[in-house]
Amino acid sequence: CSNDIRDKFSHTSVKGNGLLEYPVALITADEVALAGGKRGGKNSDFYLHTNSYYWTMTPASFSSATAYAYMWYVYPNGSLLAWHHVADWHGLRPVINLRSDVLISSGDGTVDNPFQLKLA
């Protein structure tokens, strides 16, 4: 695409479009699916499985009859589901997108041994 800079969301315009005010967001249903979440199917064998409910930021539908907005969410068994109105309680999964030249220098991502990052 000759105008792909408009799709490179970033905090500054050095390597992107500078349109992100805050470079943190909620996870999307696509990101859950790409990580191994299955629509309507159990899956506890992927790294985003937490054995608890959590929202994605991906809208599913809107009901004009009830005035409810419905979102995609992850069920405790790891399945990705839609049609749950946002008045219900669920957890959140923040996402921080890193540049492709950021590497893990040490750590395993646990609380006791968090990832240490460095530029390539």
Side-chain angles (χ1 to χ4, degrees):
C1 180
S2 62
N3 196 12
D4 67 340
I5 193 70
R6 73 171 176 222
D7 294 329
K8 292 182 180 176
F9 290 98
S10 61
H11 188 61
T12 68
S13 58
V14 174
K15 288 192 175 186
N17 60 19
L19 295 178
L20 283 180
E21 186 173 344
Y22 304 105
V24 177
L26 297 181
I27 198 163
T28 66
D30 289 342
E31 290 169 321
V32 173
L34 288 170
K38 295 179 182 178
R39 181 178 183 217
K42 297 177 183 179
N43 184 11
S44 61
D45 192 29
F46 72 114
Y47 76 97
L48 293 175
H49 178 256
T50 62
N51 208 32
S52 61
Y53 294 95
Y54 61 90
W55 292 108
T56 74
M57 66 182 272
T58 307
S61 68
F62 177 78
S63 169
S64 58
T66 62
Y68 284 155
Y70 293 85
M71 304 294 286
W72 285 91
Y73 70 103
V74 178
Y75 197 73
N77 69 7
S79 61
L80 184 60
L81 302 169
W83 314 109
H84 218 270
H85 60 87
V86 295
D88 288 342
W89 57 269
H90 291 316
L92 301 174
R93 293 293 303 241
V95 174
I96 301 171
N97 291 300
L98 302 175
R99 299 180 346 198
S100 61
D101 59 349
V102 174
L103 303 173
I104 298 171
S105 62
S106 65
D108 61 12
T110 62
V111 172
D112 295 324
N113 189 18
F115 290 126
Q116 299 293 314
L117 306 175
K118 69 176 182 177
L119 289 176

